Amino acid sequence: MKRLYDSGAWAHRALGGLLPALLLLLWLTAAETGMVAPYLLPHPKDVLATAASYVFGHGGQAGFAGRFMDDFTASITRVMLGFGLAVLVGLPLGILSGRLALANRLLGTTINALRAVPGISWLPLALVWFGIGLKTTVFLVALAAFFPIYLNAEAGARQVNPTLLRAGAMMGVRRLRGTFAILLPAAMPNIITGLRLGLGISWAYLVLGELTGVHNGLGAVIMDARMLGRIDVIMVGIIFIAVIGRLCDVGLHHMLRFAFKSARRLP
Amino acid sequence: MKPKLKIVSSQKGAPAARAILEVEGLSKGFATNTNGAGRILVLNDVGLTVRKGEMICIVGRSGCGKSTLLNILAGFLSPDRGCVRLGGRPVDRPAPDRCVVFQEDALFPWLTVRENIAFGLKVRAMSRQEKEREVDRFLALVGLTEFGSYLPAEISGGMKQRVALARVLILQPEVLLMDEPFAALDAQTREEMQDLLLHLWAKLAHSIVFVTHDVGEAVLLADRVLLFEKAPGRVKEEIAIDLPRPREKDTERYYALCRAITSQMKRA
């Protein structure tokens, strides 16, 4: 892929960093000129210092220093478990509903009704069922990620060009192999969309799950910081979640492209 | 001079001695609304026979049920009445012994030209080298040796139909079913494809059922033309094309046959 090294391609890629750079500039201006009080919006260099202390553990105040690795490990584990569970259940059910009218009838009503329930309504119930901690968070993440994964897989499977399936059948492909050799690749664009949306929403619900008194995790840090009025730590938490969420998205995309021809060769 | 048209009764059918594909009393209706209250009859008592190595063209206006017939022959649809037999065995599901070249682009877009052609071989008991050699042979037969690594989105419509032809010919079907395969191509490409098909047919000697609405195409290709009647579809006329091969388009006999069939078609 020679094109990646063209200057045009680099400029194109750098475009994605333009908006964050502008926001940072705006933030810097607001802090430098004193337009916004520091207790509402701390100076970027203070936030940077807090971030450094949060990650590397020197300087800063006790309580947050050096917590990052622990929080990160806890959060990513919860996200991956919840997201993995959602994929495991959502993808097969979605494909099934997209292909079999019977499955769609059976599942559609229930799933679309549950979909209307805001995730936060599940929180009290999850707390009663699973207590505070890993299980509740994983439950919330899995529940939230399930819907986009299911719905997109269903749409993808339903919209597969029937001629492709007929072509497979006439070339001697039976049902099971056809599912993997034709149906999944043909539905891949929708499946990818569903997985990316699902992973994105996983991070949102992770924080929701961690706001309820767990002792570690990126959401817990934000909650702790709120209690202590540490707005700089809150901002560090938000920025870390944004960056890690984006990296996860890119990672997922790369992984899919690595594993599947149909993802690699999307038009 | 008026050309001599051999009109054979469609009811009697050809002698079954060397028949490879036999269709008898085929009827098919579709529900006009979802609860199945109204039904329209698309095919009514269709009978035909294809002999081994023969190319027949089914000609008719759009909506006369010729695509439905092909879908039944392929095993994609099941008839309400009647039966289809291939080499004496009844046909009830799609299988590689009856392969279809579709009108629309039906290649797998995530596979290269090579991988598309090799697709049907995957389930065959052949060594890897044997498969590679077969793919090479068929790539060369359709003139796409240079394009093996291209994706369908990167090649022209004519080339896509060449790939579609190669991926089914490689499976050595007993009958090749073609559903207006060149209808979406420009005139020049269509002529190239017709030449290619005739060339491959001479070489590989498949039996072919070719559906088209283009009378000129049918007269150029077919041993026999079956003229389809509309609503409900059935074989109205069977016309043997006795033009010597290779056929020239620009001859009096060719035009006379085209004219005769076209006027029959208008009355259909």
Side-chain angles (χ1 to χ4, degrees):
Chain A
M1 281 280 141
K2 202 160 160 256
R3 255 191 32 217
L4 282 185
Y5 300 104
D6 289 352
S7 58
W10 275 111
H12 192 73
R13 295 182 128 202
L15 207 58
L18 187 63
L19 221 47
L22 276 178
L23 279 176
L24 186 64
L25 196 69
L26 203 67
W27 181 9
L28 204 62
T29 321
E32 284 287 342
T33 54
M35 257 160 41
V36 185
Y39 71 88
L40 290 178
L41 189 70
H43 195 282
K45 73 174 193 313
D46 295 335
V47 173
L48 193 66
T50 307
S53 132
Y54 178 53
V55 176
F56 301 112
H58 45 70
Q61 282 162 329
F64 295 108
R67 269 183 65 174
F68 172 72
M69 269 324 283
D70 185 36
D71 288 337
F72 172 72
T73 317
S75 287
I76 199 105
T77 308
R78 291 168 189 150
V79 164
M80 288 306 152
L81 282 175
F83 177 68
L85 213 58
V87 173
L88 232 52
V89 180
L91 213 50
L93 286 186
I95 301 279
L96 215 59
S97 299
R99 291 315 306 174
L100 301 175
L102 203 68
N104 200 17
R105 268 287 160 80
L106 188 69
L107 298 171
T109 313
T110 314
I111 286 176
N112 283 305
L114 289 179
R115 191 161 63 91
V117 179
I120 200 159
S121 328
W122 291 102
L123 185 61
L125 197 59
L127 285 173
V128 174
W129 284 351
F130 303 116
I132 290 169
L134 180 74
K135 278 192 232 162
T136 295
T137 318
V138 169
F139 170 75
L140 286 174
V141 168
L143 193 68
F146 171 80
F147 295 108
I149 294 172
Y150 169 85
L151 288 170
N152 281 283
E154 192 258 346
R158 184 159 32 82
Q159 289 162 14
V160 167
N161 180 356
T163 307
L164 292 185
L165 299 173
R166 285 181 166 183
M170 84 183 178
M171 289 192 278
V173 173
R174 289 267 173 271
R175 257 230 159 113
L176 187 68
R177 202 172 86 84
T179 305
F180 289 98
I182 300 170
L183 192 57
L184 283 181
M188 191 55 81
N190 292 72
I191 291 175
I192 290 178
T193 305
L195 292 180
R196 291 179 70 183
L197 285 172
L199 189 56
I201 209 162
S202 290
W203 281 98
Y205 278 77
L206 167 87
V207 175
L208 181 67
E210 285 181 346
L211 288 180
T212 51
V214 256
H215 63 90
N216 57 5
L218 294 164
V221 158
I222 293 177
M223 206 55 192
D224 292 350
R226 190 190 75 93
M227 300 288 199
L228 298 171
R230 290 287 303 274
I231 197 151
D232 54 334
V233 178
I234 295 178
M235 296 198 67
V236 167
I238 289 172
I239 292 169
F240 270 115
I241 289 172
V243 170
I244 295 167
R246 175 77 183 122
L247 287 178
C248 279
D249 182 48
V250 172
L252 174 73
H253 210 175
H254 277 275
M255 208 182 73
L256 289 168
R257 289 169 64 92
F258 177 75
F260 301 105
K261 266 181 202 160
S262 47
R264 207 154 50 238
R265 295 171 178 172
L266 273 180
Chain B
M1 225 182 74
K2 265 199 124 215
K4 200 174 73 191
L5 277 186
K6 275 191 205 161
I7 309 254
V8 189
S9 161
S10 59
Q11 297 304 318
K12 261 189 282 172
R18 290 168 63 229
I20 179 92
L21 187 71
E22 295 160 286
V23 176
E24 262 172 43
L26 213 60
S27 296
K28 177 77 181 171
F30 288 109
T32 47
N33 50 11
T34 41
N35 58 28
R39 280 183 82 77
I40 62 161
L41 201 57
V42 180
L43 295 176
N44 185 21
D45 196 21
V46 172
L48 61 92
T49 305
V50 183
R51 289 175 218 119
K52 208 167 167 54
E54 184 184 35
M55 169 140 43
I56 68 159
C57 279
I58 295 173
V59 182
R61 294 197 280 184
S62 54
C64 71
K66 50 193 197 303
S67 284
T68 304
L69 173 64
L70 208 75
N71 282 333
I72 293 173
L73 297 185
F76 299 144
L77 295 176
S78 47
D80 296 340
R81 267 196 309 281
C83 72
V84 178
R85 281 192 303 271
L86 182 75
R89 299 178 312 274
V91 156
D92 59 349
R93 65 177 68 169
D97 53 13
R98 287 155 285 124
C99 276
V100 184
V101 177
F102 299 93
Q103 174 179 1
E104 60 194 296
D105 174 23
L107 301 177
F108 302 121
W110 59 89
L111 299 180
T112 62
V113 165
R114 244 197 120 72
E115 290 164 339
N116 264 293
I117 295 176
F119 187 89
L121 286 186
K122 274 188 192 166
V123 287
R124 302 262 164 126
M126 292 165 77
S127 74
R128 240 179 66 96
Q129 287 99 320
E130 257 181 298
K131 285 180 187 174
E132 292 294 311
R133 225 176 308 129
E134 277 296 279
V135 175
D136 282 331
R137 187 161 80 91
F138 280 88
L139 266 173
L141 273 177
V142 296
L144 289 178
T145 304
E146 317 279 297
F147 295 92
S149 62
Y150 283 58
L151 290 174
E154 299 167 332
I155 57 177
S156 69
M159 287 158 103
K160 282 181 199 171
Q161 287 308 68
R162 284 167 191 254
V163 179
L165 203 53
R167 77 165 173 187
V168 297
L169 287 178
I170 201 170
L171 301 176
Q172 296 169 334
E174 296 192 52
V175 178
L176 194 58
L177 305 170
M178 307 188 77
D179 189 5
E180 305 202 27
F182 311 143
L185 304 175
D186 64 85
Q188 212 177 338
T189 312
R190 193 181 313 141
E191 274 184 29
E192 279 172 28
M193 292 300 294
Q194 289 161 352
D195 287 345
L196 176 70
L197 178 67
L198 287 170
H199 171 74
L200 292 174
W201 181 54
K203 199 160 181 156
L204 303 167
H206 296 88
S207 310
I208 300 179
V209 178
F210 193 107
V211 165
T212 181
H213 61 256
D214 179 346
V215 172
E217 186 169 61
V219 173
L220 183 72
L221 298 174
D223 291 321
R224 278 184 297 144
V225 171
L226 303 188
L227 187 59
F228 245 60
E229 193 173 53
K230 200 172 167 175
R234 58 181 198 89
V235 182
K236 187 196 181 203
E237 213 84 67
E238 184 178 316
I239 303 127
I241 308 292
D242 51 4
L243 293 176
R245 293 178 193 272
R247 290 177 182 165
E248 293 292 328
K249 261 191 170 177
D250 206 15
T251 62
E252 194 52 43
R253 295 265 304 142
Y254 172 83
Y255 286 121
L257 276 163
C258 288
R259 269 198 306 276
I261 294 173
T262 307
S263 69
Q264 286 277 0
M265 202 164 142
K266 279 186 185 139
R267 263 179 276 150

